[in-house]
Amino acid sequence: MHRIAVFASGTGSNFEAIATACQRGEIDAQVVLMVCDKPQAEVVAKAERLGIESFVFSPKDYASKADFETEIVSLLDKAQVELICLAGYMRIVGDTLLSAYEGRIINIHPSLLPAFAGARAVEQALEYGVKVFGITIHWVDHTLDGGKIIAQRAFEYYGDSAEEIHRIGQQIEHKMYVETIKKILK
Ligand code: GAR
């Protein structure tokens, strides 16, 4: 059985989709660690409910990104993590984590990259006026949302509600992330 870590900063719906797919045996893996940089985030309670060990921290308690990433790397090493899945982790991965785990970190992003990288991707796309939205899963490297693409899904949308696009996108994300992790681990 493979060992994965999920990093999140918010609601954690992707974390939950991945963790429950593992618990149901749909993915031949166990989420051995959830990492969260926001102590108040909903994902923290979700991890607790699912019985998944978590490392929750406040970046302001550390002198630098290298400091908290050093701690994260030692936890990942100890838990023998093979794959890191960023799922709404709203922080740029720094050199410390990247040099230790490059080639083993993937991210899900709510746009058809390379369009609309960075924060507020859905809002950016809506403001631009596109009618085809989508989701991308990619390898994480030192660029912002610029690593090699693994999978993409697109959908048409002609309305003007960012909330609705998020809702449609997230339904796609949950299935797509599970399917992609399964393929990578094979
Ligand atoms: C997801 O929709 C993910 O695509 C997005 O954050 C959301 C987290 O939702 N990620 C980014 O915008 C990364 N730039 P969740 O906490 O419910 O999984």
Side-chain angles (χ1 to χ4, degrees):
M1 181 157 346
H2 296 284
R3 301 172 71 80
I4 64 186
V6 179
F7 285 34
S9 305
T11 312
S13 67
N14 280 283
F15 159 74
E16 191 171 32
I18 296 166
T20 54
C22 289
Q23 290 181 347
R24 281 197 306 269
E26 198 184 320
I27 304 177
D28 180 30
Q30 195 188 345
V31 178
V32 290
L33 186 66
M34 190 284 288
V35 173
C36 177
D37 61 333
K38 295 230 165 62
Q40 308 305 324
E42 279 178 49
V43 68
V44 177
K46 286 196 168 86
E48 208 167 299
R49 210 174 53 235
L50 290 166
I52 290 169
E53 196 178 316
S54 52
F55 174 60
V56 182
F57 68 101
S58 290
K60 63 173 168 38
D61 294 340
Y62 294 81
S64 67
K65 182 178 284 200
D67 277 9
F68 65 72
E69 287 196 344
T70 299
E71 195 163 335
I72 292 172
V73 167
S74 88
L75 291 169
L76 293 167
D77 290 350
K78 207 167 91 194
Q80 296 179 299
V81 168
E82 302 163 62
L83 181 71
I84 298 171
C85 306
L86 306 184
Y89 181 64
M90 297 314 230
R91 202 160 276 285
I92 293 169
V93 172
D95 284 343
T96 307
L97 180 53
L98 204 52
S99 60
Y101 278 87
E102 189 158 13
R104 290 182 285 170
I105 312 176
I106 61 175
N107 180 44
I108 193 159
H109 183 79
S111 79
L112 293 171
L113 289 170
F116 312 118
R120 301 179 63 257
V122 165
E123 289 74 12
Q124 288 185 59
L126 195 56
E127 280 156 23
Y128 193 92
V130 302
K131 303 297 174 232
V132 178
F133 293 79
I135 307 296
T136 302
I137 295 176
H138 63 94
W139 293 104
V140 173
D141 62 14
H142 58 279
T143 62
L144 175 65
D145 297 329
K148 200 163 181 274
I149 292 172
I150 304 164
Q152 287 187 310
R153 299 278 153 81
F155 61 93
E156 286 182 28
Y157 178 77
Y158 287 85
D160 61 1
S161 162
E163 209 172 280
E164 201 174 349
I165 301 165
H166 276 290
R167 195 181 47 72
I168 298 167
Q170 285 216 327
Q171 280 174 0
I172 295 171
E173 287 187 351
H174 300 160
K175 279 180 115 173
M176 185 181 171
Y177 221 167
V178 168
E179 282 166 17
T180 303
I181 292 167
K182 274 165 77 169
K183 277 195 198 145
I184 289 173
L185 293 176
K186 261 195 205 153

